[in-house]
Amino acid sequence: MTELNQIAKKILEKGKGILAADESTGTMTKRLEAVGVSSSPENRLLFRETLFSSEAMKSFIGGVILYDETIKQKSLTNKKIPELISGYGAIPGIKVDTGAKILANSPDEKITEGLDGLRERLKEYYKLGARFTKWRAVYSISENYPSKLSIYSNAHALARYSALVQECGMVPIVEPEVLMDGNHSAEECFNKTSEVIKKCFDELNKHKVDPSGIILKPNMILPGSGSKKEINTKTIAELTLKCLKMSVPSEVPGVAFLSGGQSEFDAAKNLNSINLINDTNFIMTYSYGRALQQSALKFWAKNIQNVKGTQEVFNQRAKMCSLASRGKWSEDLEKI
Ligand code: 13P
């Protein structure tokens, strides 16, 4: 087993998943303002530190994705944030892309940027304690999209990013997110997501990326959020597994899904259904942002001094996700 494979497994194994706390300052500002809290560096840290010091970190969180601002901050107890996280046995990670920008010659689509100077930034993050990284590509579904141009150019960028990250001794999270926005059917999501993921692995292979030293972070196969079509959780799980079996090399150690705008409840329920019928060798777990943080953020906004209360809300959410990653979640457990 290579060192990268070991890191990936340590993050994902034994009912653990990833806390995606790497919202850019712009996104975090929107999240905080939506619950009536002003977005200062102190407030951003206070909320995040509350989560990073919770009991859930020991049993349910194998890795935390940080944003550039946070990885350089110190906790109230004067600990460097990566050290605070490692102290609980979780691995610190870092978002390294610099955001999705308009794709030239296809202005309705996005290309993720951040390759320039990446090798140097990676060395700095490694010194700060990061052992894995994230790069997110986004694709939307409509009649003519995602275009071949966006599928190819984002796959190429993900492959160049992944090669540099492995060169630096870290595990790249490869995140091709086919967005839920739109009226499309689950079948369309299945077709487009399969095409996107296959292209990513074609490019990763061309760039000699070791598939055993990456983590794939895909969307689940769902109908568009504006679609009126009903779908049950078993069908979501079957389509998601079918897509991944067709497009992901067997050497990949694990898949950590994004929540992508699903409710906390649905994100746990659908992950559980996937694990009930998981007939692959891949670990199937979570790398959730909103579906791990939403309730905790709402509680905290009203009770900023109540660290323990906020942590209890987060612990419960993380526990539900962990149970789902082992196919042991049930609706009754949500009510406790
Ligand atoms: P959500 O789970 O809120 O979709 O966020 C995950 C993530 O890291 C998106 O890049």
Side-chain angles (χ1 to χ4, degrees):
M1 209 189 329
T2 65
E3 197 178 329
L4 294 180
N5 184 257
Q6 273 173 359
I7 297 172
K9 287 195 170 144
K10 183 158 188 265
I11 296 170
L12 306 176
E13 269 180 351
K14 302 190 182 112
K16 292 188 179 181
I18 298 172
L19 167 61
D22 61 316
E23 298 86 355
S24 64
T25 301
T27 303
M28 197 58 187
T29 298
K30 275 190 223 148
R31 301 263 156 88
L32 289 175
E33 287 177 353
V35 292
V37 177
S38 71
S39 178
S40 60
E42 294 74 27
N43 280 345
R44 293 194 285 274
L45 177 63
L46 201 60
F47 175 64
R48 286 169 164 161
E49 187 183 336
T50 303
L51 305 187
F52 303 163
S53 344
S54 63
E55 275 299 301
M57 294 291 296
K58 292 184 192 158
S59 318
F60 310 135
I61 305 294
V64 179
I65 318 174
L66 299 167
Y67 185 58
D68 180 76
E69 175 182 72
T70 326
I71 199 170
K72 295 170 180 165
Q73 284 172 317
K74 278 192 174 171
S75 72
L76 287 173
T77 52
N78 210 30
K79 271 201 185 132
K80 291 178 178 162
I81 293 298
E83 284 171 12
L84 177 71
I85 292 167
S86 324
Y88 286 96
I91 298 183
I94 179 77
K95 169 199 179 76
V96 300
D97 67 68
T98 55
K101 311 284 160 58
I102 291 170
L103 175 62
N105 293 326
S106 189
D108 293 330
E109 297 189 285
K110 299 275 177 64
I111 175 75
T112 301
E113 295 188 348
L115 290 171
D116 289 351
L118 181 58
R119 183 179 267 130
E120 285 66 41
R121 288 195 292 124
L122 292 173
K123 285 183 190 149
E124 187 195 354
Y125 289 137
Y126 188 95
K127 276 196 203 136
L128 289 167
R131 291 295 177 271
F132 74 102
T133 64
K134 173 183 128 175
W135 179 290
R136 171 175 175 257
V138 283
Y139 313 81
S140 41
I141 299 182
S142 62
E143 205 182 328
N144 300 315
Y145 299 130
S147 66
K148 298 275 180 227
L149 180 62
S150 115
I151 293 174
Y152 165 71
S153 51
N154 276 298
H156 178 83
L158 275 164
R160 286 188 55 200
Y161 141 82
S162 299
L164 284 165
V165 172
Q166 290 192 338
E167 176 191 272
C168 193
M170 295 189 280
V171 171
I173 292 187
V174 174
E175 180 176 8
E177 177 174 7
V178 179
L179 296 167
M180 250 169 93
D181 310 340
N183 303 321
H184 53 269
S185 64
E187 286 67 31
E188 281 169 286
C189 178
F190 172 88
N191 290 334
K192 298 298 182 188
T193 304
S194 305
E195 190 182 349
V196 160
I197 296 179
K198 272 189 198 149
K199 192 71 188 170
C200 285
F201 282 104
D202 281 355
E203 288 298 311
L204 289 172
N205 187 33
K206 278 188 202 149
H207 288 254
K208 305 189 192 309
V209 172
D210 172 7
S212 77
I214 73 153
I215 294 170
L216 179 68
K217 176 162 173 165
N219 49 285
M220 294 179 192
I221 304 299
L222 299 162
S225 49
S227 142
K228 300 275 179 296
K229 289 196 188 99
E230 291 288 321
I231 186 163
N232 64 48
T233 186
K234 187 159 176 269
T235 309
I236 292 169
E238 284 166 355
L239 287 172
T240 303
L241 284 164
K242 187 173 165 198
C243 165
L244 295 173
K245 275 193 278 190
M246 277 168 40
S247 17
V248 183
S250 59
E251 295 89 343
V252 172
V255 171
F257 293 98
L258 55 95
S259 59
Q262 296 181 73
S263 67
E264 290 176 334
F265 181 89
D266 285 350
K269 182 177 176 178
N270 290 332
L271 179 62
N272 190 63
S273 303
I274 289 170
N275 278 296
L276 283 176
I277 51 171
N278 183 6
D279 53 355
T280 71
N281 289 325
F282 310 126
I283 299 168
M284 298 277 182
T285 186
Y286 47 95
S287 176
Y288 292 165
R290 286 162 287 181
L292 272 171
Q293 298 184 60
Q294 233 157 38
S295 296
L297 180 63
K298 274 191 199 144
F299 180 93
W300 175 79
K302 292 203 195 91
N303 312 272
I304 289 197
Q305 304 305 329
N306 191 349
V307 170
K308 210 161 167 275
T310 306
Q311 290 178 335
E312 273 166 20
V313 178
F314 178 64
N315 289 339
Q316 165 70 0
R317 225 35 269 144
K319 185 176 175 186
M320 291 302 106
C321 291
S322 173
L323 288 168
S325 78
R326 289 181 287 137
K328 293 189 158 41
W329 172 94
S330 73
E331 195 168 340
D332 309 342
L333 299 169
E334 287 280 346
K335 289 167 198 142
I336 293 164

